[in-house]
Amino acid sequence: MVDADDEHFHDECGVVGVFGHPEAANLTYLGLYALQHRGQESAGIVSADQGQLYTQRGMGRVAEVFGAQELERLPGQQAIGHVRYSTAGGSVLRNTQPIFINYRHGAFAVGHNGNLVNAGALREQLEREGAIFHTDMDTEVIVHLLARVPGQDAGERLAAALAQVSGAYSLVCLTETRLIGVRDPMGFRPLVLGRLIDSGGFVLASETCALDLMGAEFVRDVAPGEMVIISQGGIESRFPFPAVGRRMCVFEYIYFARPDSVLDGVHVYSARKRIGRILARIHPRDADVVVPVPDSGVAAAMGYAEASGLPFELGLIRNHYVGRTFIQPAQRGRDFSVKVKLNAQPEILKGKRVILVDDSIVRGTTSAKIVHLIRAAGAREVHFLVSSPPTIGPCYYGIDTPDRAQLIAAQHSVDEVRKMIGADSLGYLSLDALFEAVGGRALGFCDACFSDDYPLPTPEGHGTRQLFLMKELR
Amino acid sequence: MVDADDEHFHDECGVVGVFGHPEAANLTYLGLYALQHRGQESAGIVSADQGQLYTQRGMGRVAEVFGAQELERLPGQQAIGHVRYSTAGGSVLRNTQPIFINYRHGAFAVGHNGNLVNAGALREQLEREGAIFHTDMDTEVIVHLLARVPGQDAGERLAAALAQVSGAYSLVCLTETRLIGVRDPMGFRPLVLGRLIDSGGFVLASETCALDLMGAEFVRDVAPGEMVIISQGGIESRFPFPAVGRRMCVFEYIYFARPDSVLDGVHVYSARKRIGRILARIHPRDADVVVPVPDSGVAAAMGYAEASGLPFELGLIRNHYVGRTFIQPAQRGRDFSVKVKLNAQPEILKGKRVILVDDSIVRGTTSAKIVHLIRAAGAREVHFLVSSPPTIGPCYYGIDTPDRAQLIAAQHSVDEVRKMIGADSLGYLSLDALFEAVGGRALGFCDACFSDDYPLPTPEGHGTRQLFLMKELR
Amino acid sequence: MVDADDEHFHDECGVVGVFGHPEAANLTYLGLYALQHRGQESAGIVSADQGQLYTQRGMGRVAEVFGAQELERLPGQQAIGHVRYSTAGGSVLRNTQPIFINYRHGAFAVGHNGNLVNAGALREQLEREGAIFHTDMDTEVIVHLLARVPGQDAGERLAAALAQVSGAYSLVCLTETRLIGVRDPMGFRPLVLGRLIDSGGFVLASETCALDLMGAEFVRDVAPGEMVIISQGGIESRFPFPAVGRRMCVFEYIYFARPDSVLDGVHVYSARKRIGRILARIHPRDADVVVPVPDSGVAAAMGYAEASGLPFELGLIRNHYVGRTFIQPAQRGRDFSVKVKLNAQPEILKGKRVILVDDSIVRGTTSAKIVHLIRAAGAREVHFLVSSPPTIGPCYYGIDTPDRAQLIAAQHSVDEVRKMIGADSLGYLSLDALFEAVGGRALGFCDACFSDDYPLPTPEGHGTRQLFLMKELR
Amino acid sequence: MVDADDEHFHDECGVVGVFGHPEAANLTYLGLYALQHRGQESAGIVSADQGQLYTQRGMGRVAEVFGAQELERLPGQQAIGHVRYSTAGGSVLRNTQPIFINYRHGAFAVGHNGNLVNAGALREQLEREGAIFHTDMDTEVIVHLLARVPGQDAGERLAAALAQVSGAYSLVCLTETRLIGVRDPMGFRPLVLGRLIDSGGFVLASETCALDLMGAEFVRDVAPGEMVIISQGGIESRFPFPAVGRRMCVFEYIYFARPDSVLDGVHVYSARKRIGRILARIHPRDADVVVPVPDSGVAAAMGYAEASGLPFELGLIRNHYVGRTFIQPAQRGRDFSVKVKLNAQPEILKGKRVILVDDSIVRGTTSAKIVHLIRAAGAREVHFLVSSPPTIGPCYYGIDTPDRAQLIAAQHSVDEVRKMIGADSLGYLSLDALFEAVGGRALGFCDACFSDDYPLPTPEGHGTRQLFLMKELR
């Protein structure tokens, strides 16, 4: 893996919720910190104290948005938080979460990981009825529905609103007195429930790595289609939607999730090592050294090295100080996008037959540059192994992906891709092997980006990003 | 007059609109600059270009909010702008104007000078129907109504929306193709129409002083109850509301408007000098010198001096560098609120019987400090003359005023006020004399703050500022 | 007068010092506030507490540079402060004052009003000896000399350093234990000593208006050539330089100083009114109305009106919200530099023969625009009267002036100037009349800008601003 | 390794120089980017163009300080740059480099990696002669000396100045026409010379990893005691100091340098792997898994695993989004300093006998927390192996180290340290083994922090940081 801004699919969000801790906003901050890999564009927290909600949001990473001052402005024992992925165009303060409204039933805040596939149609209908939208985010549809539906309590109203939407959503919601977590019926995105060791309060988070930092024990995954309502009275679990079968995103295991997380019972780091071992079995190579593209290819490369008996070496060194703000110098005819992040070591690579392991190939341009780097450092052969199947379709369920036309594997055969990236050989993981590594196909996964098998109807002809681009962009 | 933050009623807004000029945003900027006295809290401009609207808003004065970069982001030949008064509490970016929405009929922006008296009730009803409010401003009610009413064109829909509201409003509105100006049926707040000398385009503005700077000829005042719709086809004038008689705010002439403006045919500077002359007639004093409280008392003091034959002297010197940001030093037992703005000159005042002219007395505390300054500089007698009648009632039609309980003249007799401010004598203008100076009572004025005669029903028990204070702030 | 950035000579600094008050920095802040008219480019304060000096400096006005936080970082009972004029080019943080150094005798800070005429030569010599300069300011020469001269105490060393410099300087200096004020032997720039009413401590300031706001009684002017050393032991007065006769800048009375200040015994406002009265005597005109260019022409116009019996009217209204940040809109072929500040009132001027009073004409361009504004408002005749003699020479003693080539009166006859500014007649004050108004020539004034009689040798061929322009900027 | 702010020795600087490239500042920016690990407090670049020097400096990382705008302000074909380590106290803009002066011979800029041991005495003497210091940096002594010494050219003068200083310095210097690199006679800090592949120009840099990113071929290391003067005429090499024998800092190989750099002929990554192999030989353990403390322990752990045959696992996952700005939440009784950076994986560690490899133990507190994390994740045994000898002395030659009193190995036996960090066993590298891994003792190393054998006299009783703490801070 190289960097968030070019050659990867990107998760669009991470969510956190805390109920029943005197420093709820501080804990939420820690949780978001642990989930920073799920989104670096913006961060926000809403807390509840004595019948009032307080909010702080801003552009940038968690540590940039929140200082001591901001956290002090978030009193109370309940809070939710959200981190959002940095997209190229629509990155404006207006489009940060949690969304926070005041409506006739009081205050309501929501943080959303996922994407709704019928948001466009719902928005048109709501606008015909007089609704005024203030953001480009599909999530805003949910609050407009919420302001219109009947219901005895916030949970009922939220269920009634969600009954009208279709798509992927793991939600954390906050009212004056309740923390609510919801996972869509297919459970595309993860959501876990934990218990705070010191206060006995509860937390929700996208991944277990957030629980670890917040000082919370893992209790269980929120189930697909489940709504958990946490209040002073305890935890209530509801299943307001018809059961349709789990379709958890398999790409979470390949790249999105942090290696130390356990999602729906599967430990991510171990899954990646298993993938590497399988790769060694299905793509054996006569080679001298196994080299990962750091950091995302490391675990699979270790698995490959172990299974093959070949030495594992850090032939590419990553500069961890590379941030969002790097400005490509205006050098004539030179491209630093990869070099600034990765440096190839001739001392390791010279004269070697190199197995290079990366987690995926999206457009192919970055992979080609990396292969070039390896060769320029003196490698004799470069065998490119990918720890996922060919990515042939865009995602409509909460992942930022290029159009199909830009997906190299959707347009070209494996051998064509090999030539385009300049490798001596190229090997992908098979879909069966992938399922083997993550616990078996029977668990229920969404593999649409590999199989073109979309579990929910998709908008025609364009990806998720275009759905809500309003004309006005500040 | 001393400063915007203590001893004055304050206008809450100024508005500008431009149609048909290649540098519409630049002209709007100039117009807002000329109207800066009507509001220094925030400023905003929305422009229209080729079917799209662009917006820039920010906290602070016009010159702080808009630089070359911001103006470049506002393309097109149409624009509206707004400046807002700096209130103590609810001063947040959220509450800036123009309000800008995208709704089913496209884009719509509105800038509002005035205050609606039934906004609270309308908001409650709209929320019951599912509307979500995003600001504390009464103006937001108008756009929610607009998104719901039927109508063939923007003008019809706007009229249908305004038919449901009651109160004071001079509006400038912008759609993709039209500039619309509306003045409420009573015409509480001013609104004038001008023609650009160079391009032949049209402008709207709260006062004529804005026309002068924008390079526009005065065409006419927008009439109470009139809607002017300016498009490529020209100007259309509609009168969608029943006629109820003009009730223009008389305080505009006393203090709010710039002296060089002409409002509904009356030149402000001349009116203020007439007031001074009348004061000399009804409150003659044995005195040595006439001294204004700068800057607002200057014209009336000049009129008094001319009529009385007494010398006019600048016995108080104003520091014009005093800005919003002055920080009262933490000096024990000392108060700099007045001293930092005004310095009394012993060389002028020592041993003199001084006639001090100010435009109004609100709480009385600042007046007392000024009298004290004059005496400390050696004046033998201080005769305080006020160029308006006693202010006994709060305003509900767009002016920021303290509660009645804080209005010294509502709670005390003239002689009590005289004692409280420490003057040797105190004289107010009479209501009849005021009408004489501004053209005669028959023209139709709102004088509720002097007479307690409110032309429209008012919310019970509280002033305008509380109407929309939501719990959540920031 | 229009604005600091075009048509005026400009004072380059104001200084303040406080000794013996628990809130010394706060008082210094107030003093600088009152002296803001002497410089708006930058502001700085250095305080002394328990043997240490603390400093805060920044670009912008006093209220922009200092908030509660900055003032809290300036502990102690002693402080000095400085405001600096906003020059076009060299306006950078590096060039702010007070200059603060640590040298072998401890800490030393100095704020300087004036300009040294031999700074260039001294700098060259010091650099030859190994000195490294860090600013473009002539004042830095003083601290390098100070670090090299012998002397028993700070006062002796400072006198030894100043013995080597030639030029104009009113200095406030701070060591760990002393506040020192110095006025150069000719006393070009003012400096006054005051006593704090509450604490009994002492203050120094450029003008008495600062004393008024700081709550200090005027004690006396610091004499030309005097050094006052204020310590726990009291005030010590030294005269370390040979006596050469006072040459106080006469322009301070015409324009620079605040009208409510008293400088070397002369009340500025009264002097300006006297100037107006004399103008009426030497330049009588058949006219209908006397109109000042606000604010600087107001007092003289009042004097003219009183002496002539003609009515005084505010025919030009000034927009006091015009700040440094106004951005001239990119309007084709239009110039807003004057219009944005001044609006002419046709209601006052139409058909009238107008006497227009301004304090000076520098380049003539702004004067021409103002005459044009008056005529465009309908005036029949415009008689331009100037409350100073023709300005024919640049200043080398602390005032920012254009080169002689740009001074219209240095290049053209009075009648040529009249034609160039478009006036029907033009009258200047005579030099004799000026001295009459400020107390008599015998008091000793510098009038070099009017008379070309320079009391100290000047650098050849260029004005003060070029002296220290180093190549490196920022 | 955990983070720059607690448990490590820290390099204080990195330097870069470019001569003869049309985009010199851009290249310098890239070089600093690659050296970001050597200092994150501040960054600065000075460029030379047509006889003038231009400078941009700021607090923060390279990408924070430099955007497109800043780089555009640095024209010319020559430039030098500097990154500085973030120290706790004296982190202020004043103390950024390169230092840039104008003196009698023109402009001169210098960036310094290292520390001078006689700077305090030199400073006192220079101040007695009238020098005024503006920073707390020892480097400023060099420019004051430079301004005083004789010499025919910049090289001679610089040599004369450096002849008076003692200590560690790798310098890059820029005049209007020359780029000069100097390495002190003992060569404590690295400095390499490279040639630009496209332009044929030359570069200097602290490490070869900077050359790789700048597109430069490695030419050679600058020799201890060598001065290279690069001008239009080519490269001139001088040796102005007596030869004393190389004493290159051995810690550069253990931790400071980037693994992909080659310093004085030794490849860092390979040296670290060799260290791991040697550790396996001298500290064999009955264990199940080898786990590095990421990132600094990774290479040694890999070497250990290879030599021992034990599996290598990432049992600690590092959060790479941890930045300087993390704010420790105010949680009662909890410490997040380590947890926020490292998460232990129970899936890997549970029930295991773990060999934990880190590069050094400084105070011991962080090591104890890491051991605790490993045990909390279920490890049965924790064997802590350190890839360096015990650190018993502070550094006076350019590295930021705690006082000897805080170095746990200086105060305690190995077994005491073991108990204090809670490990089952603890093994350090021996000094002989260290020299074996880096090429042999005969090459000449400074190992003072391990051996207490200081090659140059050190200031008594305190570390480098106190040398230049002036009283005045900011």
Side-chain angles (χ1 to χ4, degrees), chain D residues 137-151:
Chain D
M137 296 184 291
D138 58 342
T139 311
E140 194 180 353
V141 164
I142 296 172
V143 298
H144 281 283
L145 292 171
L146 185 75
R148 280 148 202 266
V149 295

Side-chain angles (χ1 to χ4, degrees), chain B residues 4 21-23 26-27 29-30 33-38 40 61 63-64 66-69 71 196 198 208-209 211-216 258-262 267 269-270 273 295 298-299 302 306 311-315 317-323 325-332 334 336 339-348, chain C residues 4 21-23 26-27 29-30 33-38 40 61 63-64 66-69 71 196 198 208-209 211-216 258-262 267 269-270 273 295 298-299 302 306 311-315 317-323 325-332 334 336 339-348:
Chain B
H21 192 283
E23 293 160 300
N26 285 358
L27 278 189
Y29 166 81
L30 286 171
Y33 215 95
L35 297 178
Q36 187 74 80
H37 61 288
R38 295 184 76 87
Q40 295 105 47
R61 295 185 178 178
E64 293 163 346
F66 292 96
Q69 205 171 27
L71 289 175
L196 290 163
D198 58 353
T208 59
C209 66
L211 269 50
D212 297 339
L213 187 54
M214 297 164 85
R258 249 177 61 170
D260 47 337
S261 285
V262 179
H267 181 224
Y269 171 83
S270 300
K273 283 200 66 177
D295 289 339
V298 170
M302 284 169 62
E306 285 171 24
F312 168 78
E313 292 284 1
L314 300 176
I317 297 295
R318 186 171 184 197
N319 183 352
H320 275 112
Y321 294 106
V322 173
T325 53
F326 175 76
I327 299 216
Q328 167 89 9
Q331 295 259 152
R332 292 156 308 195
R334 296 183 63 195
F336 291 92
K339 276 198 82 172
V340 79
K341 296 164 217 153
L342 298 177
N343 196 16
Q345 303 208 71
E347 295 78 6
I348 303 302
Chain C
H21 192 283
E23 292 161 300
N26 285 357
L27 277 190
Y29 167 81
L30 285 172
Y33 215 96
L35 297 178
Q36 187 75 79
H37 61 288
R38 294 183 77 87
Q40 295 104 48
R61 295 185 177 177
E64 293 163 347
F66 293 97
Q69 204 170 28
L71 290 175
L196 289 163
D198 57 353
T208 59
C209 65
L211 270 49
D212 298 338
L213 186 54
M214 297 165 86
R258 250 177 61 170
D260 46 338
S261 285
V262 179
H267 180 224
Y269 171 84
S270 301
K273 284 200 67 178
D295 290 338
V298 170
M302 285 169 62
E306 284 172 24
F312 168 79
E313 291 284 1
L314 301 176
I317 296 295
R318 186 171 185 197
N319 182 351
H320 275 112
Y321 293 106
V322 173
T325 53
F326 175 75
I327 299 217
Q328 168 88 9
Q331 294 260 154
R332 292 156 308 194
R334 296 183 63 195
F336 291 93
K339 277 197 80 171
V340 78
K341 297 163 215 155
L342 298 176
N343 197 15
Q345 303 208 71
E347 296 78 6
I348 304 301

